[in-house]
Structure formats: structure tokens, C-alpha cells
């Protein structure tokens, strides 16, 4: 089973037991061929501002905390983290624990629940992974040994070097020098895995535009608190589609479709969107006959107003939306967390998940984008150019994605997205087996029996 005590990400997944965890742990669960559980990632931090985040404990919203407040809260979360870890150990022969950030952040060691603090509390052996693609990996690993307390350093049983480009043998001397300076065993150097882009990205900084030629262009403005951005991964694999991720400071290019993504701070990112001048670009796109799709927070932005009287996402107040859909959103404390399936307005099957706060209503809801379990979901403008809904993950449904892209004029493809991801995971497993001493790693893991 995968396990990550604490994750910070706005890229979340709805679990089989009705909570939410980081999307990376959902991908890891897929690799383990099991359904997701809130206990795979008991603490999830979802940034809402530069200094604060929503704190999710065992799948449910606990509170909002600033970075300083969270430092005080963190030690109280260890009980829940250890409870979740125990549950995972009871249903698996092997639990692979992923840290967060770096164990060398000794300024954060007190009260740590994510790295060496968790390892100390559980007595787990630790393998340090160094990312050579960022440069300075020898100093990374040797420096970590130098700054760790002796008791923490004793828990580390070895290291792995990741993302080496080129001839791996050229690093043999560097590998040996790390072993010499740390006294830790090296378990292997992992060459660059070129198909990694086919897997959902974990962090927003990993988002890249697709520079392949494509007859259909889809533009996605990168909001400051963009959430669940793996919604677009299936589109990037389509041969007739080019997905342009529009970075702050850049204009929205001429495109067939603009998608406004989900966000952890709808009113905050609406203000951010206007600061970039993207509201002007969107209006010009609409006048040219271009289509716009809003997903979750993007759907809310397309409406007339967003009212947050309780300050759920920040300062209480009401914001004017972009006015492209005749709907209004009222933020409410209850969070919707559910997996769904149904059909679109043309009868094509669709499946996905809802993970949002707020209720959206108005005249354009009379033209719903989807029908989910017999109820209407989403809205379509009277001219048909603007669409919005709360559903994430819709493009992972092959039949719906093909029908959607055909309406844009894209060529029909036979890509099965889930099969592509599964095959990439299998290829990655083979890639790792060829370069890592797995028997030695499992021997280290057995030390905890």
C-alpha cells in the first residue's frame, strides 16, 4: 500500500471511503491495484493563500491554518497519522511510505509528522532519494547526512539517485563518493524515464504545455491556486489536440477552446485572472465564436456573482463573476465529495467526481451539461458557446472525450486513457527493476517485522 503521512497539494482525489487524498497517492493506489482510502494520505494541506491552507485530516476538512498556526497544530495530528498507518499495515505485506519535502529541513524537525519525525515514531528504515536532474546531488545527499541528528541519520539505510540523463556509468565515481562520505549503501541510479509525462503530474510546477502540432488548440490559463489540473492529462495524449498552459503574464492565445480550471480559491483566482488581463482575452475569444468550458471553480467564475458571506475561502464578501453564464454561486460550509456517473446533454456516457464547496443556481441551469443519477448538473449558455459544471475527471472517460473533441472538429482517436496509464506504470516498474537492487531494498524493509 502507498502511504504519505502529509501531502501539500491542490490536486486531490475522491476516495472509495468518501474522503479526499492527494492525487499522487491515488495514482500509487492504482499501481497497487487497490481502491483509494483516506488512510493512504491522512494529512492533506490544500493551499488557499500564500500563507494559509485548508487542513484535511483522514479525508475530511479539519480547519484552515496559517503556516505559523499549522506548526502548532502539527504535533496534534500525529495520532491520526499513526492510526492511518496502522490500518495500512494491517491490510498489506509491504507499506511504502513517502516523505514530504526533505529530511534536511532541520528547522522543521520539531513536531515533524512527515519525514524523520514519522520514521522515528514508527522505527521505520529510511531510503534517501536524490534528484540529480536538479543538480548538486552529491552535496544533497552528503549534506543531509551532515545536518541530521545522529539518531535520525541512523535510521537512513541507504540512498537512490533518480532521473539521470545519459550514460549512467558516468556517475559511478560520484555514486561511490556518496557511499564513502556518508557510510550509506547505494541501491542504484535510475535513468531518466521518458514516458513519465504520460502519468498525472503531482505538483502544479510540473505542468507543461504540449508543443506537438495539433489541429485543435485548447488553452488553459494557469490560475494561482489551480486545482485538479490532471483533468487535462487525457487531452494531452490526443494526437489531434494541442494543450497550451497559459502562464501568468502571457495572453490567452487564439484557440478553439479555453478551459477555466478548478481552483482552491475561486474569488482570489478570479481577481488574479483579471490582474492578468485574461478577462479581456476571454471576452475577445467569445466574440470570435470560441468556446469556453469552466470546471468547478472555473464554472463558478463564469457566472454572475460568487457570494462567500461566511468567509469560507478567505475574506467574507461577494465578487462579480465573468458574466458569461446566467448563474449565481453561494459558498457554503458543506463540501461535496463524491464519485459520479451519468451522461452529457447528447447522451454520451460520462464519469468523474465532485470535490467542491458552494451551490450554483440560475436560468442557464435549465440547460444542464450533464445528467447525473437523474439530476441536472452544470449549465450551458443560450448561444451554446459557454459551458460549466462541477465534475472533475470527465476527460478520462474515453467515449465522452471523443464525442467532446469531435464537436470541436478534432480527429477521432482510439486512445484508451486508463490503459495508457496502466501500461506506463508497468513500463516504469520494469524500468526500476532493471536498475535498483530490489532484493536488498526488501531486506531492509523486512527489518521492521
Amino acid at each position: 500500500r502507498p502511504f504519505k503521512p502529509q501531502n501539500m497539494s491542490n490536486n486531490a482525489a475522491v476516495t472509495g471511503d468518501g474522503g479526499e487524498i492527494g492525487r499522487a497517492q491515488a495514482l500509487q493506489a492504482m499501481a497497487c491495484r487497490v481502491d483509494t482510502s483516506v488512510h493512504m494520505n491522512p494529512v492533506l494541506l490544500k493551499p488557499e493563500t500564500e500563507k494559509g491552507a485548508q487542513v484535511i485530516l483522514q479525508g475530511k476538512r479539519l480547519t484552515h491554518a496559517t503556516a505559523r498556526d499549522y506548526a502548532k497544530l502539527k504535533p496534534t495530528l500525529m495520532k491520526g497519522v499513526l492510526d492511518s498507518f496502522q490500518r495500512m499495515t494491517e491490510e498489506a505485506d509491504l507499506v511504502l511510505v513517502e516523505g514530504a519535502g526533505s529530511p534536511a529541513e532541520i528547522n522543521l524537525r520539531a513536531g515533524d509528522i512527515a519525514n524523520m519525525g514519522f520514521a522515528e515514531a514508527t522505527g521505520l528504515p529510511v531510503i534517501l532519494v536524490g534528484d540529480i536532474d536538479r543538480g548538486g546531488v552529491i552535496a544533497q545527499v552528503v549534506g543531509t547526512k551532515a545536518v541530521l541528528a545522529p539518531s535520525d541519520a541512523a535510521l537512513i539505510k541507504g540512498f537512490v539517485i533518480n532521473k539521470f540523463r545519459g550514460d549512467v556509468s558516468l556517475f559511478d565515481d560520484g555514486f561511490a563518493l556518496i557511499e564513502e562520505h556518508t557510510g550509506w549503501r547505494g541501491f542504484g541510479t535510475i535513468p531518466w524515464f521518458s514516458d513519465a509525462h504520460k502519468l498525472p503530474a503531482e505538483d502544479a510546477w510540473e505542468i507543461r504545455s504540449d508543443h506537438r502540432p495539433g489541429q485543435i488548440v485548447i488553452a488553459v490559463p494557469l490560475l494561482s491556486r489551480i486545482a485538479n489540473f490532471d483533468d487535462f492529462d487525457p487531452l494531452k495524449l490526443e494526437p489531434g489536440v494541442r494543450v497550451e498552459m497559459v502562464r501568468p503574464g502571457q495572453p490567452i492565445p487564439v484557440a478553439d477552446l479555453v478551459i477555466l480550471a478548478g481552483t482552491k480559491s475561486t474569488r482570489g483566482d478570479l481577481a488574479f485572472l483579471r490582474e492578468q488581463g485574461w478577462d479581456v482575452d476571454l471576452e475577445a475569444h467569445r466574440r470570435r465564436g470560441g468556446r469556453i468550458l469552466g470546471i468547478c471553480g472555473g464554472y463558478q467564475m463564469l457566472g454572475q456573482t460568487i457570494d462567500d458571506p461566511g468567509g469560507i475561502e478567505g475574506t467574507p464578501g461577494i465578487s462579480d463573476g465573468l458574466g458569461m453564464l446566467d448563474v449565481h454561486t453561494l459558498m457554503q460550509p458543506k463540501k461535496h465529495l463524491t464519485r459520479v456517473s451519468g451522461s452529457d446533454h447528447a447522451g454520451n456516457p460520462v464519469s468523474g467526481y465532485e470535490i467542491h464547496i458552494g451551490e450554483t443556481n440560475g436560468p442557464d441551469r435549465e440547460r444542464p451539461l450533464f445528467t447525473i443519477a437523474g439530476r441536472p448538473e452544470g449549465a450551458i449558455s443560450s448561444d451554446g458557446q459557454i459551458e460549466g459544471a462541477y465534475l472533475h475527471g470527465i476527460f478520462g472517460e474515453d467515449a465522452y472525450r471523443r464525442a467532446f473533441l469531435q464537436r470541436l472538429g478534432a480527429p477521432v482517436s482510439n486512445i484508451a486513457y486508463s490503459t495508457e496509464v496502466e501500461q506506463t506504470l508497468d513500463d516504469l516498474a520494469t524500468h526500476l527493476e532493471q536498475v535498483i537492487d530490489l532484493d536488498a531494498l526488501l531486506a531492509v524493509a523486512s527489518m521492521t517485522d
Side-chain angles (χ1 to χ4, degrees):
R1 296 289 185 271
F3 186 79
K4 185 160 185 168
Q6 172 191 298
N7 198 352
M8 178 176 280
S9 177
N10 278 332
N11 213 24
V14 176
T15 63
D17 46 6
E20 57 179 311
I21 59 175
R23 175 61 57 177
Q25 281 63 65
L27 179 64
Q28 292 161 359
M30 179 187 294
C32 295
R33 294 191 170 93
V34 293
D35 198 1
T36 50
S37 163
V38 298
H39 299 295
M40 293 173 177
N41 175 206
V43 177
L44 175 62
L45 306 177
K46 305 184 76 172
E48 294 177 319
T49 67
E50 290 296 326
K51 297 181 179 180
Q54 186 181 110
V55 181
I56 309 294
L57 177 61
Q58 292 183 328
K60 302 298 182 184
R61 183 182 186 274
L62 178 67
T63 186
H64 172 91
T66 64
R68 190 172 298 277
D69 291 338
Y70 182 68
K72 300 174 184 177
L73 175 67
K74 189 166 52 174
T76 69
L77 303 177
M78 180 63 95
K79 181 180 178 181
V81 168
L82 294 176
D83 171 65
S84 291
F85 178 66
Q86 180 63 32
R87 292 170 186 257
M88 288 294 95
T89 62
E90 289 172 356
E91 62 181 67
D93 299 302
L94 176 67
V95 178
L96 190 60
V97 181
E98 178 186 345
S102 166
E105 295 168 338
I106 55 175
N107 57 311
L108 303 177
R109 177 61 177 86
D112 173 53
I113 64 172
N115 291 307
M116 301 311 296
F118 176 80
E120 179 186 48
T122 54
L124 291 184
V126 176
I127 305 298
L128 191 65
V129 181
D131 182 355
I132 198 171
D133 192 51
R134 300 188 184 193
V137 75
I138 296 176
Q140 289 176 33
V141 181
V142 175
T144 297
K145 174 69 178 290
V147 300
L148 287 181
S151 58
D152 282 351
L155 292 172
I156 297 182
K157 305 305 177 184
F159 65 90
V160 169
I161 303 301
N162 194 21
K163 297 185 182 177
F164 189 92
R165 298 176 187 261
D167 183 352
V168 172
S169 67
L170 295 176
F171 190 66
D172 287 350
D173 289 344
F175 194 89
L177 285 169
I178 294 175
E179 290 183 315
E180 177 185 338
H181 283 275
T182 62
W184 294 331
R185 172 178 178 171
F187 290 91
T189 299
I190 303 171
W192 185 266
F193 182 62
S194 59
D195 282 346
H197 70 278
K198 295 182 180 180
L199 298 174
E202 177 179 13
D203 299 311
W205 66 267
E206 294 178 340
I207 299 175
R208 300 287 187 271
S209 290
D210 179 1
H211 295 295
R212 299 173 307 165
Q215 67 185 65
I216 297 299
V217 177
I218 298 176
V220 182
L222 283 176
L223 303 171
S224 65
R225 293 286 175 263
I226 190 170
N228 296 80
F229 41 81
D230 58 321
D231 279 340
F232 315 114
D233 290 335
L235 297 173
K236 291 181 178 181
L237 294 184
E238 290 288 344
V241 175
R242 186 171 82 250
V243 179
E244 292 280 354
M245 311 305 289
V246 186
R247 299 196 172 275
Q250 298 177 342
I252 296 176
V254 175
D256 299 276
L257 171 71
V258 176
I259 301 180
L260 290 183
T263 169
K264 196 65 194 68
S265 179
T266 303
R267 292 175 62 220
D269 261 344
L270 180 57
F272 177 81
L273 180 151
R274 287 184 165 123
E275 288 171 6
Q276 308 306 312
W278 289 337
D279 56 333
V280 178
D281 293 344
L282 286 169
E283 189 56 47
H285 171 79
R286 183 183 188 179
R287 288 198 304 269
R288 290 193 297 267
R291 292 179 57 183
I292 301 172
L293 170 67
I295 299 176
C296 200
Y299 169 38
Q300 295 173 338
M301 290 182 192
L302 288 171
Q304 302 296 318
T305 60
I306 303 163
D307 189 3
D308 187 5
I312 296 170
E313 286 193 341
T315 305
I318 186 168
S319 297
D320 290 331
L322 296 172
M324 295 186 177
L325 284 175
D326 194 1
V327 295
H328 299 264
T329 296
L330 175 64
M331 294 300 188
Q332 297 176 335
K334 181 182 177 182
K335 177 178 279 192
H336 296 262
L337 289 167
T338 183
R339 297 173 178 177
V340 298
S341 60
S343 60
D344 69 359
H345 58 91
N348 299 297
V350 66
S351 61
Y353 61 96
E354 293 184 33
I355 182 169
H356 68 93
I357 58 172
E359 298 289 344
T360 300
N361 291 289
D364 281 351
R365 290 262 294 147
E366 296 176 7
R367 290 179 294 275
L369 187 54
F370 304 116
T371 299
I372 303 298
R375 65 174 174 84
E377 163 55 27
I380 303 174
S381 63
S382 58
D383 60 11
Q385 284 183 245
I386 316 299
E387 300 176 333
Y390 277 114
L391 268 62
H392 291 285
I394 53 178
F395 296 121
E397 176 72 57
D398 297 328
Y400 172 75
R401 185 180 67 255
R402 292 186 190 113
F404 181 88
L405 292 175
Q406 275 186 280
R407 289 199 296 271
L408 289 178
V412 177
S413 81
N414 60 356
I415 290 176
Y417 180 65
S418 61
T419 302
E420 288 278 343
V421 173
E422 288 279 5
Q423 184 60 57
T424 304
L425 289 171
D426 284 344
D427 293 343
L428 177 57
T430 300
H431 182 76
L432 295 174
E433 285 174 335
Q434 294 171 346
V435 295
I436 290 182
D437 190 341
L438 292 181
D439 290 337
L441 275 180
L442 289 173
V444 169
S446 71
M447 293 166 59
T448 62
D449 289 347

